[in-house]
């Protein structure tokens, strides 16, 4: 009953959020007012590890654990990233 999409990531760092006319994001997630315009960043480092940093005011969870705003945490493949009513997962090639 859930809609799913796969979004390829081609940049070393992407921004995630609702976006707006004045705030552009690489991965727009729309339709939920709990998602900040610029909610988080996801970064791939030189060793192939993914790092997630919440930027928004509302809670964000990685692997079921709430991550404080501006705290950078590693995200493992298939680990859930919960932003409001959305769930993201990293699926490396």
């Amino acid at each position: 009953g859930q809609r799913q999409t796969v979004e390829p990531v081609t940049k070393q760092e992407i921004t995630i959020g609702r976006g707006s006319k004045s705030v552009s994001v690489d991965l727009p997630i729309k339709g939920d007012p709990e998602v900040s315009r610029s909610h988080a960043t996801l970064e791939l480092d030189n060793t192939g590890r993914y790092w997630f940093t919440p930027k928004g005011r509302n809670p964000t969870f990685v692997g079921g654990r709430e991550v404080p705003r501006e705290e950078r945490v590693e995200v493992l493949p298939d680990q859930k990233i919960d932003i409001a009513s959305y769930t993201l997962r990293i699926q490396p090639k």
Side-chain angles (χ1 to χ4, degrees):
Q2 293 181 342
R3 195 174 72 204
Q4 295 184 13
T5 61
V6 175
E7 297 287 336
V9 175
T10 57
K11 295 167 59 177
Q12 203 74 17
E13 182 175 328
I14 64 165
T15 54
I16 302 165
R18 190 170 84 234
S20 70
K21 288 181 182 178
S22 62
V23 178
S24 72
V25 293
D26 299 307
L27 179 59
I29 49 178
K30 301 190 180 283
D32 189 328
E34 296 290 306
V35 177
S36 299
R37 286 179 188 94
S38 180
H39 200 96
T41 59
L42 182 66
E43 176 189 352
L44 175 63
D45 72 15
N46 293 335
T47 66
R49 294 164 55 187
Y50 289 91
W51 298 91
F52 182 83
T53 308
K55 303 284 187 180
R57 293 182 183 205
N58 292 318
T60 301
F61 298 84
V62 174
R65 176 184 160 267
E66 184 173 349
V67 181
R69 185 178 183 185
E70 298 295 339
E71 182 179 304
R72 187 173 180 246
V73 295
E74 184 176 7
V75 180
L76 303 174
D78 272 340
Q79 193 171 34
K80 287 183 181 181
I81 300 169
D82 294 307
I83 299 174
S85 60
Y86 291 87
T87 299
L88 309 177
R89 284 192 184 97
I90 298 170
Q91 297 176 332
K93 292 180 180 179

